Amino acid sequence: MSAHAATAHTAHTAHEHHETGFVRTYIFSTDHKMIARQFLFLGLFMMILGGLLALIVRWQLAWPETAIPGMGRILRETGGILEPSTYNMAFTMHATIMIFFVIMPILAGAFGNFCIPLMIGARDMAFPFLNMLSFWTTFTAGLIMLSGFFVEGGHAAAGWTSYAPLSAVAQYTGVNWGQNLWCISLFVMGVGSMMGSINYITTIVNMRAPGMHLFRMPLVVWSLFITAILLLLALPVLTSAVAMLLFDRTLGTSWFAPSGGGEPLLWQHLFWYFGHPEVYILILPAMGIASEILPVFARKPIFGYHAMAFSMIAIAFLSWVVYGHHMFVSGMSPALGMAFTVTTMIIAVPSAIKTFNWLGTLWGGRIQFTVPMLNAIAFVSMFVIGGLSGIFMASTPVDIYIQDTYFIVAHIHYVVFGGSIFGAFAAIYYWFPKMFGRMTNGVLGHLHFWGTFIFFNATFFPMHIIGVGGQMRRIYNPMQYEFLQHQQHWNVFITYSALLLGVSQIPFVINFFWSLFAGPKAPLNPWNANTLEWTAPSPPPHLNWGDRIPTVYRGPYEYSDPDAREDFLPQNQPPVGAGARRH
Amino acid sequence: MTPALQAPPRPPAERRTNGRLPPAPPDFGDDGDGEGEHGPRRGLDNLRLAVLFFMGAEAMFFGALISALLVLRLGMAAWPPPLEPRLPIAVTGLNTLVLLASSVTLVTAGRARRRGEPARHVRWLWGTAALGALFLAVQGYEWIRLIGFGLTLASGVYGTTFFALIGLHGLHVLAALVWLLVTTALVARGRFGEGRSAPVQACAMFWHFVVGVWPVLYFTVYLI
């Protein structure tokens, strides 16, 4: 690779060895790769917590009001039985943690930080100090969120959507400081993610290596670019909404309280105006990751590079005009509901373009079923199921009957677990060699993947069935409803599957930590991929490359070119003859 | 088929780039413009770009607040609600002119900077800060009077929206004022000399943004 690097043209003087102390290297680091690892560890830690919360919710639904094994020590007064208020808290915090402190930190935080500078050929982010501040702001938000579990009255229990007036008046849920801390935490998280997104956008606009045109950027960078723009513009709406909610609860304002002239529906408008772009914030990076991994392991160029980039741009635009489909039963005028149905159907088109292009990429490829590839294929297939059930929800006549049932629970988990989490696993397995300089174990990886894939489907697919059967989301005890009792066996089946889904994550944890310390050393380019991060050492040092940053000569997906010597052509490999003009 | 319609022969792979994209620029050597290793830049520098994006986020923040106000007041039979104090439209109108004038003085300061007159530059910057401070002082005085008349944050939706929107804007003016004062002090010490004016311009961008939001707020909160 040094031969390629030598053709980079501009002289660079910034490369020097920094001997920094432990604190500056591992804790208050301004290096984008260390910040990426910090986000990854934050997200994985929170994922364990969010997963355990889901399991206690599942236990309650399968075997209502029985003691949960191991919870006797935590729920002392009830001897391990989940009370309705605790149950509400558990599902509220499961969703809040998974969305804001697992998927966003892992996909946007960790892989945004890791991939953007390395894949566009920059030595670091545009504002390294702001980057560090962004992580520690998010970390503080996480601490505030966790502190809510220990306050009087318990944590927020009004659902992750925190609909007013339920969330706006403390007496309704009996939660006082829990909900306040929930608001404060999301406010702080909003500030942190704004810092991050400004950094990402500026870096991508201004810091690309020579020759890295916008349309030579890897698609994962495109997806993170668009995600950052959505984050930048959507999060401030949530920030102002949670500030209003907090003021209503603490300062006696009347945004959402009808007694003072407020309007409860206003919360839904503000929340979903943020909330729908948020859905794409969660899924777009995973789409980018799949677009990155499929060509590498199919040994084929991505099918329709420009269509992929433009469909992501289309999704970003359309995501602002579909939010009303979350509010079909809020008394919305049918004409407006129809308009939102149509826009929602339209947003399925760019998503379908992406799906067909992924399939086109796989078609006729020499597919290598590595662990990252399996996770990426799982992403595509699960995203298709989640996308199709989304069409049901988008159509008002159907939605009126299945809204707020387990059908929507199944839908969101197919998109956010089947989509985003499989995308996150794919990214972790794919970039682990570059991130930590060591290879992961394939056997444990396959074990983890197949367990997760099988039990994910066993957990969430039956939810479509019980949802159409009428089981409402967020109910405490399905056995209290006569019409739901005949399908209780499904709830038991789902809970067994969910427990096994949890068990399936054990190989991942073992694999992650074993590989971190004892995995075989990773070569420079273990997957024979084209993009620039594989030209830096594994793991890349501070400032990523040696004396010169790479120069880019071609797009990122030139695989299996019949005229090339090898089946891949790295982006920085100069065309023959271009090396003649050296300085 | 005529030769003109035949596809050109495929060059060997190492010579090709992807599709219709041109090959990498043959030479972006270091032309001594201090642009670093990323080749010559055409657009804004990082700092001003970041402030621009920050302004986008802030616009969404105020957009959410303004649309909340509109939703709430459309749901009310009478606006302002009966028995609530009336807002001081005339005084605030004059105050609006004060804030707009601060943008003009800032533009004048920028012109002085580009002409290379540092003393005038600093003088106009201090003038801008003084106008901003005057705006805040008048706002604060009017707030005290309104609270005296019984309009508070907790006195119903009218007080809620008024104090939240105007107060959050006031906080932004305060933050912009602190930023401007720090910048001006540094300019007065000669920190941002020839060709290093990006931080001054970034600060000016944010100031203009805060000024630009105000007429919208004045119109939606006070006038309609």
Side-chain angles (χ1 to χ4, degrees):
Chain A
M1 292 299 148
S2 60
H4 309 144
T7 56
H9 298 274
T10 49
H12 180 65
T13 51
H15 181 59
E16 57 202 69
H17 281 286
H18 292 268
E19 288 301 326
T20 48
F22 176 83
V23 172
R24 288 296 304 280
T25 312
Y26 292 103
I27 299 173
F28 295 109
S29 170
T30 56
D31 183 8
H32 72 99
K33 299 174 294 291
M34 185 53 69
I35 295 168
R37 288 174 213 146
Q38 289 172 327
F39 268 115
L40 184 63
F41 283 111
L42 172 72
L44 290 176
F45 170 77
M46 291 296 230
M47 191 195 269
I48 296 172
L49 195 65
L52 291 177
L53 284 167
L55 290 184
I56 64 173
V57 168
R58 276 318 314 172
W59 185 281
Q60 163 66 24
L61 287 168
W63 303 288
E65 295 173 63
T66 57
I68 300 169
M71 289 297 284
R73 286 161 175 270
I74 297 166
L75 304 170
R76 284 226 178 87
E77 305 94 80
T78 59
I81 296 171
L82 212 56
E83 288 187 321
S85 58
T86 329
Y87 174 81
N88 290 347
M89 180 183 95
F91 73 68
T92 301
M93 293 321 296
H94 162 68
T96 305
I97 287 176
M98 284 298 193
I99 289 168
F100 294 106
F101 294 100
V102 176
I103 297 178
M104 283 168 70
I106 291 182
L107 287 183
F111 289 103
N113 261 308
F114 189 76
C115 292
I116 290 174
L118 274 169
M119 294 180 93
I120 64 170
R123 291 193 181 275
D124 207 319
M125 285 285 177
F127 306 102
F129 184 79
L130 190 70
N131 204 13
M132 177 188 86
L133 218 54
S134 161
F135 172 75
W136 286 105
T137 312
T138 311
F139 184 82
T140 310
L143 281 187
I144 296 170
M145 192 56 91
L146 293 185
S147 69
F149 285 108
F150 304 103
V151 295
E152 185 78 38
H155 213 318
W160 84 278
T161 52
S162 282
Y163 274 8
L166 182 64
S167 58
V169 182
Q171 286 84 337
Y172 293 167
T173 51
V175 176
N176 188 15
W177 266 96
Q179 188 75 44
N180 292 351
L181 288 168
W182 185 90
C183 295
I184 296 168
S185 169
L186 290 191
F187 191 95
V188 175
M189 199 267 330
V191 173
S193 88
M194 185 178 71
M195 293 178 197
S197 52
I198 288 178
N199 219 340
Y200 290 3
I201 300 171
T202 310
T203 307
I204 293 174
V205 171
N206 260 0
M207 311 273 287
R208 298 193 306 277
M212 180 63 86
H213 315 154
L214 278 180
F215 287 102
R216 283 180 183 175
M217 289 200 308
L219 285 168
V220 70
V221 177
W222 263 108
S223 75
L224 290 162
F225 185 41
I226 292 161
T227 304
I229 294 171
L230 288 180
L231 271 173
L232 180 79
L233 299 178
L235 260 293
V237 180
L238 177 74
T239 308
S240 62
V242 294
M244 289 175 199
L245 187 60
L246 186 66
F247 288 170
D248 267 14
R249 296 177 59 89
T250 55
L251 302 178
T253 58
S254 323
W255 294 102
F256 309 119
S259 55
E263 170 64 86
L265 261 186
L266 174 63
W267 169 265
Q268 291 189 31
H269 281 291
L270 291 173
F271 186 84
W272 288 119
Y273 193 72
F274 143 79
H276 206 82
E278 169 72 13
V279 173
Y280 292 98
I281 290 167
L282 300 179
I283 197 73
L284 276 170
M287 289 176 164
I289 287 161
S291 312
E292 206 55 45
I293 291 174
L294 293 178
V296 173
F297 294 110
R299 309 312 291 170
K300 270 186 69 191
I302 189 91
F303 188 94
Y305 173 90
H306 286 80
M308 289 301 240
F310 284 120
S311 59
M312 283 195 281
I313 294 169
I315 287 174
F317 274 107
L318 288 169
S319 71
W320 297 98
V321 293
V322 296
Y323 80 94
H325 65 216
H326 296 273
M327 298 169 61
F328 281 147
V329 293
S330 66
M332 178 184 279
S333 112
L336 194 58
M338 193 66 206
F340 278 120
T341 298
V342 171
T343 53
T344 308
M345 298 286 180
I346 291 173
I347 207 170
V349 174
S351 310
I353 292 175
K354 298 192 73 67
T355 306
F356 282 111
N357 283 356
W358 287 319
L359 298 182
T361 305
L362 292 175
W363 187 267
R366 286 181 293 119
I367 298 176
Q368 303 166 358
F369 288 102
T370 57
V371 180
M373 181 63 162
L374 287 171
N375 279 286
I377 295 173
F379 162 83
V380 175
S381 46
M382 296 301 99
F383 177 73
V384 168
I385 297 180
L388 289 178
S389 62
I391 308 238
F392 286 70
M393 309 299 303
S395 143
T396 8
V398 183
D399 180 76
I400 286 168
Y401 291 98
I402 56 176
Q403 64 94 22
D404 269 354
T405 65
Y406 264 74
F407 196 88
I408 188 71
V409 179
H411 165 68
I412 191 182
H413 284 95
Y414 263 91
V415 178
V416 177
F417 191 139
S420 306
I421 299 278
F422 274 116
F425 283 141
I428 290 170
Y429 285 114
Y430 181 68
W431 278 296
F432 194 94
K434 192 52 69 181
M435 231 173 179
F436 300 103
R438 289 177 188 273
M439 304 298 288
T440 52
N441 181 293
V443 176
L444 285 170
H446 277 276
L447 208 60
H448 169 230
F449 168 74
W450 287 110
T452 308
F453 185 74
I454 291 166
F455 294 117
F456 162 78
N457 279 295
T459 303
F460 294 106
F461 202 84
M463 288 188 185
H464 293 111
I465 299 164
I466 57 171
V468 173
Q471 182 168 330
M472 300 78 79
R473 73 196 282 207
R474 293 175 177 169
I475 52 169
Y476 171 62
N477 180 354
M479 294 303 281
Q480 287 170 343
Y481 302 86
E482 207 172 305
F483 70 99
L484 293 179
Q485 284 168 2
H486 74 97
Q487 57 184 20
Q488 183 61 16
H489 61 277
W490 276 122
N491 274 319
V492 176
F493 176 79
I494 291 170
T495 299
Y496 276 124
S497 306
L499 289 168
L500 289 169
L501 180 59
V503 170
S504 303
Q505 306 313 306
I506 293 172
F508 173 73
V509 176
I510 296 171
N511 195 357
F512 192 92
F513 286 102
W514 180 82
S515 306
L516 199 57
F517 297 108
K521 290 260 188 244
L524 203 62
N525 189 356
W527 315 119
N528 288 341
N530 284 345
T531 41
L532 291 183
E533 79 271 31
W534 304 107
T535 65
S538 308
H542 188 52
L543 302 176
N544 298 344
W545 287 277
D547 290 339
R548 289 163 185 276
I549 53 170
T551 301
V552 176
Y553 295 95
R554 60 175 62 74
Y557 303 113
E558 307 278 307
Y559 293 103
S560 296
D561 194 305
D563 302 327
R565 279 188 304 274
E566 291 169 292
D567 69 346
F568 65 113
L569 262 175
Q571 281 189 282
N572 67 332
Q573 184 173 310
V576 171
R581 301 189 62 170
R582 268 181 208 170
H583 288 271
Chain B
M1 193 187 274
T2 58
L5 288 174
Q6 276 172 358
R10 257 163 89 83
E14 277 77 11
R15 279 184 193 277
R16 278 206 315 274
T17 55
N18 59 333
R20 59 200 169 78
L21 295 170
D27 187 1
F28 14 52
D30 196 352
D31 49 22
D33 59 359
E35 298 285 9
E37 53 185 340
H38 288 278
R41 278 196 203 116
R42 286 172 296 277
L44 287 174
D45 55 275
N46 288 351
L47 184 61
R48 273 183 286 171
L49 205 57
V51 172
L52 194 68
F53 294 128
F54 179 64
M55 282 158 52
E58 290 277 54
M60 292 302 288
F61 183 77
F62 280 107
L65 288 166
I66 290 170
S67 37
L69 165 69
L70 294 177
V71 167
L72 290 177
R73 65 163 295 171
L74 287 174
M76 297 286 280
W79 191 271
L83 306 178
E84 296 277 17
R86 293 298 176 265
L87 301 176
I89 291 177
V91 177
T92 314
L94 285 176
N95 214 7
T96 305
L97 295 180
V98 170
L99 196 60
L100 290 176
S102 78
S103 242
V104 177
T105 55
L106 192 57
V107 170
T108 317
R111 201 169 290 152
R113 174 179 52 75
R114 281 194 298 281
R115 286 201 194 124
E117 303 168 41
R120 260 171 67 82
H121 180 207
V122 174
R123 250 195 333 271
W124 281 109
L125 284 180
W126 287 125
T128 307
L131 286 171
L134 177 63
F135 172 83
L136 278 183
V138 175
Q139 288 289 91
Y141 176 71
E142 290 301 330
W143 270 39
I144 292 167
R145 273 163 48 93
L146 282 170
I147 293 169
F149 291 142
L151 187 71
T152 65
L153 201 57
S155 67
V157 67
Y158 194 58
T160 293
T161 51
F162 172 76
F163 284 109
L165 267 71
I166 304 304
L168 283 167
H169 179 262
L171 281 179
H172 278 79
V173 178
L174 188 64
L177 184 62
V178 171
W179 188 2
L180 184 66
L181 287 173
V182 172
T183 307
T184 310
L186 291 175
V187 171
R189 288 196 191 166
R191 265 286 289 280
F192 306 119
E194 192 69 31
R196 286 183 294 147
S197 61
V200 187
Q201 294 182 48
C203 175
M205 281 165 68
F206 188 63
W207 187 272
H208 289 308
F209 171 78
V210 171
V211 172
V213 170
W214 176 253
V216 182
L217 286 176
Y218 179 63
F219 180 74
T220 46
V221 176
Y222 288 82
L223 293 185
I224 59 170

